[in-house]
Amino acid sequence: MEKTITIDGRQVAFKSSGALPKRYKMQFGRDYFSDMLAMKSMSEEIVDGKGEMQSVNFDLFYDIAWTLAKTADSSIPDPVSWLDEFDVFPIADILPQIQELITASISSNNAKKK
């Protein structure tokens, strides 16, 4: 699954594939699925009003966005260099647009087969 969105006036492709969790672990040394659960928990706490913005690990959001972009375009540089290419990288605006790709990376195909 692939999606292109505009960030800071540039078209940026994002892609979810079977290699996404491995690429994430290779780059960041963390388990993709564990980080997804942590991110989901943080998001729910913020929505419920129980969480505080100080407790949010924004690195997870940036790291997942980079991995989705790297999966779409293998020529993009390391995460910091890639983020430096943008004057602004509004993760609060980007995350909802790539949510479907994130969900696809952890969803089961069983529902699709029925």
Side-chain angles (χ1 to χ4, degrees):
M1 177 178 283
E2 194 165 349
K3 183 172 189 170
T4 301
I5 62 174
T6 303
I7 302 172
D8 194 27
R10 292 178 39 197
Q11 294 290 306
V12 179
F14 294 90
K15 182 178 179 181
S16 179
S17 76
L20 182 69
K22 296 292 283 180
R23 182 172 283 112
Y24 185 86
K25 187 165 190 155
M26 286 171 48
Q27 179 66 36
F28 301 108
R30 299 188 313 266
D31 181 71
Y32 175 77
F33 298 107
S34 295
D35 283 359
M36 291 301 305
L37 291 173
M39 189 173 79
K40 183 178 186 297
S41 177
M42 283 186 283
S43 297
E44 288 173 353
E45 287 180 15
I46 292 169
V47 169
D48 292 343
K50 298 176 188 170
E52 297 182 18
M53 291 304 284
Q54 300 93 297
S55 67
V56 176
N57 182 351
F58 283 99
D59 283 341
L60 295 179
F61 296 98
Y62 288 108
D63 294 351
I64 289 169
W66 177 87
T67 307
L68 289 165
K70 183 72 170 181
T71 301
D73 179 0
S74 63
S75 71
I76 69 167
D78 66 272
V80 173
S81 298
W82 181 66
L83 288 167
D84 272 344
E85 293 176 357
F86 302 95
D87 288 332
V88 293
F89 195 87
I91 199 69
D93 295 335
I94 296 164
L95 191 59
Q97 295 185 65
I98 61 174
Q99 186 66 39
E100 184 179 13
L101 297 172
I102 294 168
T103 301
S105 72
I106 59 174
S107 296
S108 169
N109 281 336
N110 290 339
K112 294 177 186 175
K113 291 178 183 177
K114 290 182 180 180

